[in-house]
Amino acid sequence: MAHYTIMGRDPYWMNFYGLMILTLIEVLAVGYDLPEEKIFIFSNYTLMILTVIAIPKFIMIGMIFMHLYGSPDSGILTVTALFPAFFIIIMVLFIGLTHPEATTGLPEWCRPGYYNI
Amino acid sequence: MSSYDDHHPSGWGPHDWGHGAPHNSWSPLIMSIGIGVFLFSVAGVYEWGEFIDASYIGVSIAGLAIIFIGLTVWWRQDYTFDGGYEPRSMGTPFRGIEVRKVAVWVFLMSEMMVFTSLFSTYMRYRFGIESCESVFMSGEWVEGSSVTCFEPAGHLIASSWFHLAPGAINTFALIISSFTIVQALRYAGMLDIDEDRRRKLVTRYLGTTWFLAVLFLTLKMIEWFLGFPLPEFLHEYNHGDSTIKSLYAEGYLINADSYQHKYYNTDYVASHGHGLDHESALYLMMEEGTHSGGQMMANIRVSASTFYVTTGTHGAHVLGGIIGLTYMTYKASRGGYTPDNAVSIEYFGLYWHFVDLVWVIVFPFFYLY
């Protein structure tokens, strides 16, 4: 269990409150009509907000609920948890986003209708 | 200690924890075989959503039975575990850390790879195939013939607060359940409370986690297959419709090669909301008389498949959690968790938090965007 506090309070309760608030913002952001224009690398404001909120939520659950922060084993277990990050970067960035023609088209064999391989 | 030792080998394996290091357990092997048999056979029952072969059903049931036997062996061995022997890693880099904890993390690493594969597949197709909304607005379609495009489930789900409700409630349910499992661990490990109070609190928090997990899958079924009716005073906020349709009823299926939706009907769009965007190619073509408008028909097999496979894989993990929680809640109700073996709740908690973590990514990018 945690041997530290967040702003003088129990870390699990604080984490819980934080996650609930961030999720509420996430849902509200989708419910309202936000501008559709491109911002930074995001195709619209909604996608930017969803991405920006998902990252701290991911970290908050990992560090506080999964004890990757504040426990004697945290260091080596964090490295263990981050080990697949290399493969994740390869798969998401190189295959998901930056593959040649990723945004303009897929190979024919990768498209719907090409089932009789 | 008495020199007399009544230790006898047991068919159940290492449940005699008082006699030092546990022996190996057969249950992981039994369950792996059962899961393999079940998945292999269940894949033969359906093809493109159509029921094709009943002969595999018996094999599927046999697979489930083998899984059940594996679980029974596992739980029988664990039930008497009082924390008396918790093996620790001897080698670098995990020296001194509980072996089971390291094993759970290694397992979670492999799980990360599974979900990353699914997520990168989704991104590849999402960015590689033009969205149905773009195709519709471009006017590059003819009524009566199907066009291939990507229809994100989020387009349907995020179209109204009512559609969004099951997914949003599920998100809050998983976050609350992550918190309740931590509370169960906290009270199981607490030294300064009496046994009965500990038993009640741990059972209550594990039971709440179980309830929230069941709620999650129930809402998932409503969202996928059942839909739900709306009270009359809410009809006007739902374009006059009396029900929120399920994804199934909307035709959002893995074999949908002629998907039709009101969003892609020029008559519906003109009569609801603001109508067609006046700067869109479709509007200009209709004004010029080069496009007759009507209902666009789409092949959305890829988009529906990526949605159902990813969210279904996540749902299967929730189901696995429910099975584990059923046993753990029972064990807790019998006073089975003490400060000596509370780490068992922590190890399950790691898995459960991981399920929550995956949902943190799946929910915004599959349900909202």
Side-chain angles (χ1 to χ4, degrees):
Chain A
M1 298 302 293
H3 301 290
Y4 59 94
T5 59
I6 296 175
M7 292 191 284
R9 292 174 183 273
D10 180 76
Y12 301 122
W13 276 104
M14 293 298 279
N15 199 39
F16 174 63
Y17 293 143
L19 289 168
M20 294 295 268
I21 291 167
L22 287 175
T23 305
L24 194 62
I25 295 170
E26 207 171 50
V27 174
L28 291 174
V30 173
Y32 288 100
D33 290 331
L34 294 168
E36 283 293 318
E37 64 213 49
K38 188 172 163 57
I39 175 165
F40 304 123
I41 58 168
F42 305 103
S43 57
N44 58 47
Y45 276 85
T46 307
L47 180 60
M48 183 190 75
I49 291 172
L50 294 180
T51 309
V52 165
I53 288 179
I55 293 167
K57 279 177 76 177
F58 199 88
I59 293 170
M60 285 160 75
I61 293 171
M63 292 185 78
I64 298 172
F65 279 164
M66 297 175 87
H67 301 144
L68 289 180
Y69 170 78
S71 109
D73 312 328
S74 294
I76 186 64
L77 291 178
T78 303
V79 174
T80 307
L82 287 176
F83 182 71
F86 171 74
F87 299 100
I88 291 171
I89 290 168
I90 294 282
M91 291 169 84
V92 171
L93 284 183
F94 289 78
I95 299 174
L97 288 178
T98 59
H99 187 277
E101 300 179 347
T103 55
T104 54
L106 289 166
E108 199 57 38
W109 52 268
C110 208
R111 284 190 166 278
Y114 197 92
Y115 302 123
N116 301 317
I117 301 169
Chain B
M1 188 177 171
S2 166
S3 59
Y4 175 71
D5 190 346
D6 61 353
H7 178 213
H8 298 291
S10 165
W12 286 107
H15 72 287
D16 47 351
W17 297 98
H19 291 90
H23 316 294
N24 294 329
S25 172
W26 288 102
S27 60
L29 185 63
I30 298 170
M31 283 198 292
S32 301
I33 291 169
I35 291 167
V37 170
F38 173 72
L39 291 179
F40 179 77
S41 55
V42 85
V45 178
Y46 287 94
E47 189 172 286
W48 292 107
E50 300 292 332
F51 181 79
I52 56 161
D53 193 346
S55 63
Y56 282 103
I57 292 177
V59 187
S60 301
I61 292 169
L64 288 175
I66 296 170
I67 296 170
F68 181 76
I69 291 167
L71 281 173
T72 307
V73 172
W74 182 9
W75 291 343
R76 178 64 182 79
Q77 291 165 353
D78 176 82
Y79 191 72
T80 49
F81 175 60
D82 59 4
Y85 186 90
E86 181 71 46
R88 288 177 181 272
S89 175
M90 302 293 285
T92 307
F94 298 110
R95 186 188 299 273
I97 305 176
E98 295 88 343
V99 168
R100 289 197 296 161
K101 191 182 211 176
V102 175
V104 171
W105 273 107
V106 171
F107 168 67
L108 293 183
M109 282 164 54
S110 68
E111 291 281 78
M112 276 186 225
M113 299 303 293
V114 170
F115 281 101
T116 305
S117 305
L118 295 172
F119 201 70
S120 59
T121 303
Y122 167 73
M123 291 177 78
R124 184 75 179 90
Y125 282 124
R126 178 91 193 243
F127 289 108
I129 301 175
E130 197 170 5
S131 77
C132 289
E133 194 173 11
S134 302
V135 173
F136 178 68
M137 287 304 194
S138 72
E140 292 172 3
W141 54 275
V142 180
E143 190 171 30
S145 64
S146 189
V147 287
T148 296
C149 53
F150 197 96
E151 173 70 348
H155 192 205
L156 284 173
I157 294 166
S159 63
S160 81
W161 290 107
F162 303 115
H163 260 114
L164 192 54
I169 294 169
N170 272 347
T171 305
F172 288 110
L174 273 191
I175 290 172
I176 295 168
S177 72
S178 262
F179 178 67
T180 52
I181 197 90
V182 166
Q183 289 293 84
L185 171 62
R186 180 205 296 269
Y187 287 111
M190 202 172 269
L191 293 167
D192 53 354
I193 54 172
D194 66 74
E195 272 185 35
D196 193 50
R197 183 165 157 70
R198 179 189 297 119
R199 181 182 63 80
K200 284 180 180 167
L201 283 168
V202 175
T203 306
R204 184 183 303 165
Y205 280 111
L206 285 176
T208 307
T209 311
W210 180 91
F211 168 78
L212 290 165
V214 171
L215 174 71
F216 182 95
L217 282 192
T218 306
L219 288 173
K220 181 80 82 183
M221 288 302 105
I222 289 172
E223 177 190 88
W224 281 18
F225 299 119
L226 302 175
F228 56 96
L230 285 176
E232 197 167 340
F233 71 96
L234 289 174
H235 292 183
E236 63 176 300
Y237 301 106
N238 189 37
H239 305 297
D241 292 341
S242 60
T243 57
I244 294 297
K245 286 184 184 171
S246 65
L247 291 173
Y248 180 84
E250 294 271 17
Y252 194 80
L253 303 169
I254 59 169
N255 59 348
D257 58 359
S258 53
Y259 173 79
Q260 295 180 54
H261 196 270
K262 59 190 178 186
Y263 299 146
Y264 306 128
N265 185 334
T266 51
D267 295 333
Y268 179 86
V269 174
S271 60
H272 289 75
H274 306 292
L276 281 175
D277 179 3
H278 287 202
E279 291 180 6
S280 68
L282 177 61
Y283 180 82
L284 297 172
M285 288 162 84
M286 287 176 70
E287 284 292 297
E288 291 166 2
T290 53
H291 199 296
S292 57
Q295 173 83 62
M296 185 179 86
M297 204 158 66
N299 179 338
I300 57 158
R301 286 173 165 180
V302 169
S303 35
S305 296
T306 52
F307 172 79
Y308 285 116
V309 169
T310 309
T311 57
T313 304
H314 178 267
H317 281 73
V318 175
L319 179 64
I322 290 171
I323 294 168
L325 279 165
T326 305
Y327 161 72
M328 290 174 70
T329 308
Y330 172 74
K331 183 174 176 178
S333 73
R334 311 291 291 179
Y337 291 109
T338 63
D340 292 328
N341 67 358
V343 285
S344 294
I345 298 178
E346 182 179 359
Y347 303 151
F348 175 81
L350 286 174
Y351 168 79
W352 194 247
H353 296 313
F354 176 78
V355 172
D356 189 15
L357 264 187
V358 171
W359 188 251
V360 162
I361 303 296
V362 167
F363 178 61
F365 296 107
F366 282 82
Y367 278 72
L368 303 181
Y369 173 56

